[in-house]
Amino acid sequence: MNVSASTTGLFILCFLAGPIRQSQAQTAELSLADCFRLSRSRNIAVEQARRSLSARQYQLKSEQATYMPKVDLLAGYNYLSKPLEINLQQVKDGIVEGSSQQATNAANTVYQQITGNPLPQNVQDVIYNTSRDIIGAAYPNYNPALAKQSYFVAALGLRQPIYLGGKLATARDIARAEYDAGIINLELAEKQTDFAVAASYIRILYLNSLTQSQGRIVEAMEQNERFAVSLVNNEIIPPYQRNWATVALTWARTRQHNVELDKENALVELKRLLQIPQDSAVLIGDTLRFRSMTAPSAPDDFYRSNPLWKSIYSKSSLAESAVKASRSINLPNIFGIGSLNLYQKDLPVTTPPWMVGVEMQWTLFSGLNGPRKVKAAKQLVEEAKLAADNTQNILEASATVVRNKVTALEKDLLALSTARDQARHTTSLVRERLANQMSSVKDVNEALLVEEEISKAYYAALFGYMLAAAEYYNILGTPQQITDLIQ
């Protein structure tokens, strides 16, 4: 199944250029390698994983920039139900008492400086009582308003993380683990798509082989029917023996038609995997041919290259980052803060143009929530490791089982190949006997049916052998390696 570079390039460009309608379709032999290339660039599952990886990459870049300072434009308009007021009535007694006492002390100080003696107590009492009466009478009996009912302020606020207990580093670790998991998910989507494409392609080759084999049977039955007609015309055999040939030929043509319909359905599935229009013409004319799989037994650590195991194992890193995140919740957060006033209107107080400071936030008690989250995260780490070990065991066992299956099918193929050759030889002998009038038309039909069934069994075994080989390479993490057996 060798395809020239120019033909292959023409085909790929033809499909990558966009939808192709049946009236404009160009056909070329489509190899399995071409299918792999098309699926990598067109398959929806692969593209979905690629978009997810791109989103995780942006998230990682975002987390890497979280240590940069955060600058906000702060602005606010507030309308109060009534203006802000100073509650003078609440402090009236203290002010009157304090002012009266202050007036008495002042008079006593002046008198003492002049005479060297303090004021008599009765005089101090007179001054105190007089001052209290005057101040009490003059004291406002209302609460004056501080400002209008509304005010507007605007400022630039800066918040710089200084120490967050490892929270920023943990967030970056989680984003990195998510990004690495996205890479593995893309590999897994590509591997699964490659295996699906390989299985679909092998099925088409199998149906091509059946069609070719069935075509030989139909052709032989047509010859048998024509020969039976000539024998009837020459009154050598009765007409009912010709009917046996006609019935066998009709049923053989029906089986051939069913195989062709199965191939059309297989092409529909392949086009879906390659994301090419269903009305596009795709030519795959090759057939299955046996080639022994020379791949050695799986190495001890083959599972590490399997994206399925890597996908499960990557959850351990994510779970370990979750443990760090749970522990960092109990640590304090320290920020550097700053503010630059831009505008203020009708504010009842005058604020300074700028300010800087340090702010600390420390959750001292959260209802024992933190320790429980740490324990839960540790359990997730253990669960992820157990899942990775379980996946390793499954892959190792599957590799051994599938490898043994390939070996068993290879032995079956050798036996069925011999049986197929013997069936063909037997059919030719029966046809020679019919020519010598030593066998009947029905004998030839029965020989052809046996040959057909053995051929079907051979190609079914070959189909299973190729699928098992593709599955084995898929377990090893290299599903495209099946192309070594399909050339």
Side-chain angles (χ1 to χ4, degrees):
M1 190 167 46
N2 296 324
V3 185
S4 65
S6 59
T7 304
T8 304
L10 175 62
F11 181 86
I12 295 176
L13 289 175
C14 178
F15 280 110
L16 291 178
I20 305 174
R21 297 301 171 193
Q22 186 66 35
S23 60
Q24 301 174 345
Q26 302 183 29
T27 60
E29 184 72 19
L30 184 61
S31 68
L32 181 55
D34 296 331
C35 292
F36 285 145
R37 284 191 289 269
L38 285 172
S39 65
R40 289 292 180 93
S41 61
R42 304 287 292 273
N43 186 268
I44 292 180
V46 174
E47 182 62 24
Q48 182 180 356
R50 192 175 289 117
R51 297 292 179 86
S52 176
L53 175 61
S54 178
R56 296 171 190 232
Q57 184 178 17
Y58 283 119
Q59 182 64 31
L60 175 59
K61 292 180 178 179
S62 174
E63 292 296 340
Q64 289 174 341
T66 53
Y67 200 76
M68 298 296 292
K70 180 181 180 183
V71 180
D72 298 320
L73 174 61
L74 309 175
Y77 171 81
N78 295 275
Y79 182 83
L80 307 177
S81 59
K82 65 177 184 177
L84 291 175
E85 297 176 346
I86 298 178
N87 193 347
L88 296 179
Q89 307 309 311
Q90 187 176 7
V91 295
K92 177 179 180 180
D93 294 339
I95 292 176
V96 172
E97 178 68 23
S99 298
S100 300
Q101 189 64 44
Q102 184 179 3
T104 303
N105 292 336
N108 186 37
T109 301
V110 173
Y111 181 81
Q112 190 171 9
Q113 288 179 352
I114 296 174
T115 65
N117 298 313
L119 278 173
Q121 185 59 44
N122 60 340
V123 177
Q124 292 185 27
D125 294 339
V126 172
I127 296 174
Y128 171 78
N129 293 328
T130 304
S131 298
R132 187 177 62 178
D133 293 339
I134 294 173
I135 295 174
Y139 192 87
N141 60 356
Y142 62 92
N143 293 330
L146 268 180
K148 298 180 179 179
Q149 286 183 255
S150 62
Y151 61 91
F152 177 83
V153 292
L156 284 179
L158 181 141
R159 187 179 178 89
Q160 170 66 56
I162 297 176
Y163 173 78
L164 300 184
K167 295 180 180 65
L168 295 182
T170 302
R172 288 194 293 269
D173 291 342
I174 293 176
R176 168 60 65 180
E178 292 283 359
Y179 175 71
D180 294 339
I183 296 177
I184 297 172
N185 289 341
L186 177 58
E187 294 179 6
L188 182 60
E190 290 175 343
K191 185 182 80 74
Q192 291 174 339
T193 301
D194 288 343
F195 177 70
V197 168
S200 181
Y201 192 88
I202 291 172
R203 180 166 178 252
I204 293 174
L205 298 188
Y206 160 68
L207 294 173
N208 284 343
S209 301
L210 277 187
T211 301
Q212 189 180 85
S213 176
Q214 194 67 28
R216 288 194 300 266
I217 298 298
V218 169
E219 183 179 355
M221 287 187 173
E222 289 175 347
Q223 294 175 0
N224 192 41
E225 185 190 39
R226 288 194 297 268
F227 189 70
V229 170
S230 65
L231 292 178
V232 170
N233 292 337
N234 293 325
E235 298 183 351
I236 297 176
I237 62 173
Y240 75 87
Q241 292 194 14
R242 181 199 60 190
N243 293 341
W244 283 117
T246 302
V247 170
L249 175 60
T250 302
W251 183 232
R253 285 173 175 170
T254 300
R255 293 193 297 273
Q256 183 184 32
H257 179 66
N258 291 338
V259 173
E260 292 173 350
L261 288 179
D262 287 342
K263 180 184 176 180
E264 291 182 8
N265 292 336
L267 285 173
V268 169
E269 177 64 16
L270 181 62
K271 291 177 183 178
R272 182 191 67 81
L273 292 172
L274 303 182
Q275 292 301 308
I276 59 179
Q278 290 294 336
D279 58 356
S280 302
V282 174
L283 176 62
I284 301 177
D286 203 2
T287 57
L288 282 180
R289 291 182 295 275
F290 173 73
R291 177 174 294 182
S292 179
M293 189 179 74
T294 58
S297 299
D300 294 338
D301 58 347
F302 77 93
Y303 59 88
R304 294 185 178 275
S305 62
N306 191 302
L308 178 60
W309 181 85
K310 291 194 291 185
S311 176
I312 301 298
Y313 184 76
S314 65
K315 295 181 180 179
S316 299
S317 300
L318 189 59
E320 290 173 355
S321 298
V323 173
K324 295 179 182 178
S326 300
R327 288 174 175 169
S328 65
I329 294 177
N330 299 324
L331 298 177
N333 302 326
I334 300 176
F335 299 92
I337 59 174
S339 176
L340 176 64
N341 292 327
L342 301 178
Y343 180 78
Q344 62 183 37
K345 182 180 180 182
D346 299 329
L347 192 66
V349 294
T350 300
T351 58
W354 59 268
M355 59 82 67
V356 294
V358 177
E359 178 183 274
M360 185 188 77
Q361 175 192 5
W362 195 350
T363 302
L364 299 179
F365 180 73
S366 60
L368 302 178
N369 197 19
R372 292 171 181 172
K373 286 186 176 181
V374 173
K375 291 180 180 179
K378 288 182 178 179
Q379 291 299 314
L380 291 177
V381 173
E382 296 298 327
E383 187 272 338
K385 291 180 178 179
L386 290 174
D389 292 340
N390 185 46
T391 304
Q392 173 187 341
N393 294 333
I394 292 175
L395 291 175
E396 290 175 341
S398 299
T400 302
V401 170
V402 174
R403 192 69 177 85
N404 293 337
K405 183 179 179 181
V406 170
T407 302
L409 287 172
E410 189 171 356
K411 293 180 180 180
D412 291 343
L413 282 171
L414 295 176
L416 286 171
S417 179
T418 302
R420 185 180 59 164
D421 294 339
Q422 289 294 328
R424 289 179 179 176
H425 180 65
T426 301
T427 301
S428 64
L429 293 177
V430 175
R431 294 177 69 178
E432 288 179 2
R433 288 176 61 84
L434 175 63
N436 296 324
Q437 299 182 12
M438 298 177 65
S439 297
S440 66
V441 174
K442 186 177 180 181
D443 292 336
V444 175
N445 288 337
E446 291 177 350
L448 287 172
L449 289 175
V450 172
E451 179 184 345
E452 178 184 357
E453 292 302 320
I454 293 178
S455 295
K456 285 182 179 179
Y458 172 79
Y459 285 116
L462 184 55
F463 177 50
Y465 171 81
M466 288 296 185
L467 280 183
E471 185 179 359
Y472 180 74
Y473 289 130
N474 186 53
I475 293 174
L476 296 184
T478 57
Q480 291 194 3
Q481 196 173 347
I482 190 62
T483 55
D484 296 340
L485 299 181
I486 303 175
Q487 297 292 342

